[in-house]
Amino acid sequence: EVQLVESGGGLVQPGGSLRLSCAASGFTFSSYTMSWVRQAPGKGLEWVSVINSGGGSTSYADSVKGRFTISRDNAKNTLYLQMNSLKPEDTAVYYCAKYGDRVPDYWGQGTQVTVSS
């Protein structure tokens, strides 16, 4: 059974940092592209970042480029999202997702990130 469990969310002041983690199990983590997606209150899903199976290729949404860094530790079956210079508009539930053929096919339960003073 595929399981993705996010952690690391919380309340942070504008300009602060958080590091999200996603612990994966039930599949060969090192073989799959992984992604972070978020959903702000009252809005639809927004793709944030993606990383290939080996970790050597990454991509970011323009809204987070230069502030967020996606990474993975295939030995630990864990995906990360380092978020710096956080803004109130980054407030959202953050989900990690495993890619299937070309689109995500499994999602975690999400972790809440709130950026507020």
Side-chain angles (χ1 to χ4, degrees):
E1 177 189 6
V2 173
Q3 287 196 331
L4 300 169
V5 180
E6 301 93 338
S7 62
L11 174 64
V12 63
Q13 292 187 342
S17 297
L18 281 175
R19 188 194 198 199
L20 305 184
S21 299
C22 172
S25 61
F27 64 104
T28 306
F29 180 74
S30 59
S31 296
Y32 290 91
T33 293
M34 299 292 295
S35 182
W36 288 99
V37 179
R38 67 186 181 184
Q39 186 167 26
K43 296 189 177 181
L45 289 172
E46 178 189 14
W47 171 79
V48 173
S49 183
V50 65
I51 187 167
N52 71 339
S53 58
S57 179
T58 61
S59 186
Y60 300 91
D62 287 344
S63 57
V64 307
K65 199 172 295 182
R67 300 187 297 120
F68 290 12
T69 302
I70 191 171
S71 63
R72 64 193 297 162
D73 186 334
N74 285 343
K76 295 183 178 179
N77 290 348
T78 303
L79 177 72
Y80 302 102
L81 185 68
Q82 178 67 44
M83 305 186 296
N84 298 330
S85 302
L86 283 161
K87 304 175 181 181
E89 51 263 44
D90 294 318
T91 295
V93 178
Y94 284 72
Y95 301 90
C96 69
K98 166 190 169 292
Y99 267 64
D101 188 6
R102 294 185 179 182
V103 296
D105 57 1
Y106 287 93
W107 305 76
Q109 84 290 346
T111 186
Q112 175 71 48
V113 172
T114 302
V115 185
S116 176
S117 54

